[in-house]
């Protein structure tokens, strides 16, 4: 641990390069979102294009969640051993391979009697591309911890994390335009578009720096001084043995699972009531866009107030309540009602997302942020796999139309109440990282404000890149 020499203070610097790195993460998350939803956004076209049943079309989404669970430990190990830049490039590279394999599947003839070649190559490409997702989705909390100050970390985490959801909204709007749901041959347009997007997303990652020249905060200073990070296996063991973290994991996993399921199956849920694929896309996009607004507000507010627990304990029950309301509004000729509820689900659920990711870091500190993020997202993907299988099995169009019941939505609401809203109320952990940083600032004489022997004529909380050195 460093301390400033007597009579001097530690100066924590911020670098403009942090914005470029965050942009690269956002672009990669957007690309992986488009690949994820290429087929489920236009289920009729995908079914005819692959000459497959509804389950196999749903499997293109399920494979994403399964691949995430498999590759999440690999991404954590790569962050530890090879750093941010090489991990991003590796993830982007396998995404490119998978995306282009899907495009090459277009050149294999497919008929109802002989669909194996195109279907197999498509699934192989899908699962390879899906393996890239944890390299982008797990990174925002770690990147924010190393490159951003206490007053910007939550916002940075929010931007990086919700970019995947932004991709879901854009995919549900753009893919039905690129691919005509009634013309299966136009699926080639989407697979080519996503393959090109995967290449474009790699380019900024080639220029991302692993770490700043000097730290932006006390916790970053300690992390940057380490010659080697704690082994990922050790971090994982510490994380999963923390009871408070496990409560957060159950809640976070439930919310992410519900979101991924609704995003993947919104067209399936709404079609029995006469809504088109385009209208289903509007529902999903409405939820995500509203959610981005909610997260965009909560991120900066959390940076100022640091009230992560309070926001989670408010937002999760509210999101659950609107999920219950969704059961009663998914009806014929109720477009406005469905849209309104989806908007409120998005605002409340997405507002919780950055707070929950930062709360995980606070609960598990000094464990590396990539470990807690990996476990949280892996739990969300595992829950999504379970939910997708269950909801697909429960889907009964005749029951939905005749009785006004929607078994999949009822199942999702019950799950969210039991495994989402209840566990979050039991979290009481202190904010360990914030407390450690406050103590270190006090020891170093920085005490949240930094200066160089008063030479600047006043105190400035953080120095920008063009100003002077970090410890004097």
């Amino acid at each position: 641990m460093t301390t400033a020499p007597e009579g001097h203070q530690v100066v924590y610097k911020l670098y403009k390069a942090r914005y470029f790195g965050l942009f690269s993460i956002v672009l990669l998350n957007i690309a992986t979102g488009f690949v994820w939803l290429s087929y489920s956004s236009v289920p009729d076209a995908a079914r005819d294009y692959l000459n497959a049943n509804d389950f196999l079309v749903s499997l293109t989404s399920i494979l994403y969640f399964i691949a995430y669970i498999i590759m999440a430990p690999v991404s954590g190990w790569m962050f530890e051993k090879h750093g941010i830049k090489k991990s991003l490039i590796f993830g982007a590279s396998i995404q490119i391979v998978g995306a282009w394999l899907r495009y090459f599947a277009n050149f294999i003839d497919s008929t109802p009697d002989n669909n194996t070649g195109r279907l197999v190559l498509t699934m192989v490409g899908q699962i390879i591309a899906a393996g890239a997702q944890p390299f982008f989705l797990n990174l925002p909390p770690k990147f924010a911890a190393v490159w951003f100050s206490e007053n910007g970390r939550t916002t940075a985490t929010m931007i990086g994390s919700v970019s995947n959801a932004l991709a879901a909204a854009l995919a549900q709007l753009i893919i039905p335009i690129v691919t005509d749901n009634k013309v299966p041959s136009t699926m080639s347009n989407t697979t080519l578009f996503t393959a090109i997007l995967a290449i474009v997303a790699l380019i900024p990652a080639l220029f991302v720096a692993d770490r700043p020249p000097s730290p932006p905060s006390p916790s970053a200073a300690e992390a940057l001084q380490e010659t080697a990070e704690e082994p990922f296996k050790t971090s994982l063991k510490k994380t999963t043995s923390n009871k408070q973290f496990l409560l957060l994991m159950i809640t976070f996993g439930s919310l992410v699972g519900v979101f991924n399921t609704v995003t993947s199956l919104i067209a399936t849920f709404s079609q029995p009531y006469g809504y088109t694929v385009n209208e289903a896309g509007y529902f999903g996009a409405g939820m995500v866009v509203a959610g981005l607004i909610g997260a965009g507000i909560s991120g900066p507010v959390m940076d100022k107030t640091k009230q992560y627990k309070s926001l989670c304990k408010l937002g999760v029950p509210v999101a659950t309540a609107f999920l219950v309301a969704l059961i009663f509004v998914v009806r014929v000729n109720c477009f406005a009602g469905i849209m309104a509820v989806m908007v409120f689900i998005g605002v409340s659920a997405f507002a919780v997302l950055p707070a929950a990711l930062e709360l995980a870091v606070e609960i598990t500190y000094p464990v590396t942020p990539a470990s807690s993020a990996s476990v949280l997202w892996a739990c969300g993907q595992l829950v999504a796999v379970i939910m997708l299988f269950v909801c697909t099995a429960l889907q009964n169009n005749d029951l939905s139309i005749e009785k006004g019941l929607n078994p999949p939505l009822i199942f999702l609401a019950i799950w969210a109440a039991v495994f989402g809203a209840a566990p979050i109320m039991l979290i009481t952990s202190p904010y360990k990282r914030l407390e450690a940083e406050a103590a270190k600032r006090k020891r170093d004489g920085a005490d949240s404000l930094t200066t160089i022997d008063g030479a600047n004529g006043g105190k400035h909380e953080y120095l920008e890149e063009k100003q002077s050195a970090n410890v004097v």
Side-chain angles (χ1 to χ4, degrees), residues 113-393:
D113 296 327
N114 184 17
N115 66 348
T116 305
R118 177 180 291 180
L119 181 61
V120 169
L121 188 56
T122 295
M123 292 300 184
V124 169
Q126 189 78 352
I127 199 165
I128 291 174
Q133 191 179 40
F135 291 91
F136 318 140
L137 201 55
N138 292 349
L139 188 55
K142 177 180 177 65
F143 186 84
V146 173
W147 280 89
F148 287 78
S149 69
E150 302 98 310
N151 294 334
R153 281 192 305 236
T154 307
T155 300
T157 297
M158 177 272 296
I159 293 171
S161 299
V162 304
S163 56
N164 188 255
L166 171 62
L170 293 174
Q172 289 176 328
L173 290 174
I174 294 173
I175 290 176
I177 297 173
V178 176
T179 294
D180 188 333
N181 199 40
K182 299 185 183 301
V183 184
S185 61
T186 57
M187 276 300 314
S188 60
N189 297 339
T190 292
T191 54
L192 178 59
F193 170 74
T194 54
I196 294 172
L197 181 60
I199 292 178
V200 172
L202 166 67
I203 296 172
L206 299 174
F207 304 98
V208 171
D210 267 320
R211 51 176 57 195
S214 57
S217 69
S219 62
E222 293 190 8
L224 292 173
Q225 287 177 64
E226 296 291 336
T227 56
E229 286 191 8
E230 182 178 63
F232 181 72
K233 185 177 179 180
T234 303
S235 298
L236 204 60
K237 185 176 180 180
K238 289 181 179 179
T239 300
T240 53
S241 63
N242 186 318
K243 293 180 180 178
Q244 289 284 291
F245 175 79
L246 292 178
L247 290 170
L248 181 62
M249 180 190 75
I250 294 170
T251 295
F252 187 91
S254 297
L255 279 184
V256 171
V258 168
F259 167 77
N260 285 339
T261 303
V262 171
T263 301
S264 299
L265 299 181
I266 185 64
T268 304
F269 293 159
S270 59
Q271 275 186 335
Y273 299 94
Y275 298 102
T276 66
V277 170
N278 286 47
E279 288 172 325
Y282 298 150
F283 295 144
M287 177 178 69
V288 174
V289 171
L292 293 175
I293 295 172
I297 295 172
S298 73
V301 170
M302 289 299 101
D303 275 329
K304 295 293 183 182
T305 66
K306 311 295 191 292
Q307 295 299 312
Y308 309 123
K309 286 181 289 188
S310 298
L311 179 60
C312 289
K313 291 181 179 181
L314 174 64
V316 174
V318 170
T320 301
F322 281 110
L323 192 61
V324 173
L326 189 62
I327 298 170
F328 301 99
V329 298
V330 177
R331 297 287 187 271
V332 176
N333 298 323
C334 195
F335 181 91
I338 298 173
M339 180 63 78
V341 172
M342 293 289 279
V343 164
F344 284 116
I345 290 174
V347 169
S348 51
F350 278 56
V352 170
L353 180 62
L357 288 168
E358 288 298 301
L359 179 58
V361 178
E362 297 292 337
I363 290 174
T364 60
Y365 185 82
V367 173
T368 175
S371 296
S372 60
S374 295
V375 174
L376 288 182
W377 285 113
C379 180
Q381 310 294 36
L382 175 61
V383 171
V385 171
I386 296 171
M387 287 180 170
L388 281 167
F389 277 116
V390 172
C391 288
T392 301

Side-chain angles (χ1 to χ4, degrees), residues 60-79:
T60 61
S61 289
I62 295 173
L63 286 175
Y64 248 75
F65 309 134
I66 294 174
Y68 181 96
I69 297 167
I70 295 171
M71 293 297 290
V74 178
S75 70
W77 175 81
M78 283 203 67
F79 291 145

Side-chain angles (χ1 to χ4, degrees), residues 99-112:
W100 280 97
L101 285 177
R102 299 182 333 149
Y103 175 67
F104 293 145
N106 293 310
F107 301 102
I108 301 176
D109 290 334
S110 178
T111 66

